[in-house]
């Protein structure tokens, strides 16, 4: 599995856009990039997934450059409730024998300041 | 919508005792995963089951075992508990089979404390 590197922590003020970048230099051709969010004492929650270019959903955008060696999670207009740990994961999607396990690295602890 | 159910939510055991954690996946999900998250640590994969068969194994101690039953619920059995087993144990489920984003849905976790 491709190893990922993210900043350990980030601070941001409410209402700002937050961008968290993840490096995954050894990403394989069939790997997808997935981001999860985790609040204290709760299970991780899926945010967004992509393979290349840009993906957007109702909570975030994911930017992936052409070489796919990095990705950026963008959270628009953050609020205090976005304070959490954000994990970048890279792995393949298997369609025949169950999905692949999630390998969590050290996530980014995002703190939103009022 | 139905979510992943885990029981018990909290469990306190003594060293060398045994514990059984239960997980009820989202209906129609065919894959169940177990993760362990120690204090201040990141979640670590333990084991997974696809269609009631073990599909992958991570850093699960030999003292632990797990299985998935015919109704798709799963149990994680932990014996000879050690202080270091104190952690949050998450169960997750997903639906495989082509298309989609392979999202894993996590349960609320079981907090195990070993005294």
């Amino acid at each position: 599995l491709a190893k990922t590197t993210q900043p350990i922590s980030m601070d941001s003020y409410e209402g700002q856009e937050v961008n968290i970048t993840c490096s995954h230099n050894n990403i394989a051709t069939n790997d997808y990039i997935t981001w999860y969010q985790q609040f204290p004492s709760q299970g991780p929650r899926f945010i967004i997934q992509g393979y290349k270019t840009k993906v957007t959903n109702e909570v975030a955008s994911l930017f992936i450059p052409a070489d796919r060696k990095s990705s950026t999670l963008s959270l628009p207009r953050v609020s205090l409730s976005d304070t959490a740990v954000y994990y970048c994961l890279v792995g393949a999607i298997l369609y025949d024998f169950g999905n692949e396990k999630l390998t969590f690295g050290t996530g980014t602890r995002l703190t939103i300041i009022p | 919508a139905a979510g992943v159910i885990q029981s018990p939510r909290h469990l306190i055991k003594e060293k060398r005792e045994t514990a059984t954690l239960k997980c009820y996946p989202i209906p129609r999900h065919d894959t169940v995963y177990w993760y362990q998250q120690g204090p201040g640590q990141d979640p670590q994969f333990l084991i997974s089951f696809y269609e009631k068969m073990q599909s992958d194994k991570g850093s699960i101690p030999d003292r632990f075992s797990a299985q998935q039953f015919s109704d798709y619920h799963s149990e994680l059995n932990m014996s000879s508990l050690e202080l270091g087993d104190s952690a949050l144990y998450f169960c997750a489920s997903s639906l495989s089979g082509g298309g989609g984003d392979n999202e894993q849905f996590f349960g609320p976790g079981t907090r195990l404390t070993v005294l």
Side-chain angles (χ1 to χ4, degrees), chain A residues 43-99:
Chain A
R45 185 174 71 101
F46 174 94
I47 301 176
I48 198 167
Q49 183 180 80
Y51 184 80
K52 60 181 179 180
T53 63
K54 176 183 175 182
V55 179
T56 298
N57 61 22
E58 63 275 10
V59 298
S61 295
L62 179 59
F63 300 91
I64 306 169
D67 66 4
R68 302 197 332 119
K69 293 183 183 300
S70 66
S71 59
T72 298
L73 174 72
S74 181
L75 304 173
R77 296 181 299 280
V78 294
S79 64
L80 296 177
S81 63
D82 293 316
T83 294
V85 177
Y86 292 81
Y87 291 98
C88 166
L89 300 98
V90 173
I93 294 179
L94 306 175
Y95 293 112
D96 295 325
F97 298 102
N99 296 325

Side-chain angles (χ1 to χ4, degrees), chain B residues 7-96:
Chain B
S7 68
R9 294 292 309 278
H10 301 272
L11 190 58
I12 299 175
K13 291 285 186 179
E14 300 275 344
K15 279 197 310 183
R16 292 180 289 278
E17 285 191 323
T18 61
T20 297
L21 279 53
K22 296 184 179 182
C23 169
Y24 297 85
I26 291 173
R28 292 185 298 280
H29 279 194
D30 53 19
T31 311
V32 167
Y33 315 77
W34 286 96
Y35 295 86
Q36 177 193 56
Q37 187 170 26
Q41 304 294 314
D42 305 304
Q44 297 295 314
F45 170 75
L46 292 177
I47 195 167
S48 63
F49 293 87
Y50 170 71
E51 285 293 345
K52 294 159 278 185
M53 298 287 288
Q54 182 180 308
S55 54
D56 201 353
K57 197 171 182 180
S59 51
I60 182 169
D62 292 340
R63 300 177 288 107
F64 294 6
S65 65
Q67 58 181 322
Q68 187 177 28
F69 295 84
S70 57
D71 63 353
Y72 288 89
H73 94 272
S74 178
E75 295 184 4
L76 177 65
N77 299 293
M78 311 159 72
S79 62
S80 303
L81 287 170
E82 302 174 356
L83 296 179
D85 296 329
S86 295
L88 263 172
Y89 289 84
F90 291 108
C91 172
S93 72
S94 69
L95 177 63
S96 63

Side-chain angles (χ1 to χ4, degrees), chain A residues 31-46:
Chain A
D31 282 343
Y32 283 71
I33 300 151
T34 311
W35 286 79
Y36 277 76
Q37 174 193 55
Q38 186 178 28
F39 298 112
S41 298
Q42 293 187 28
R45 185 174 71 101
F46 174 94

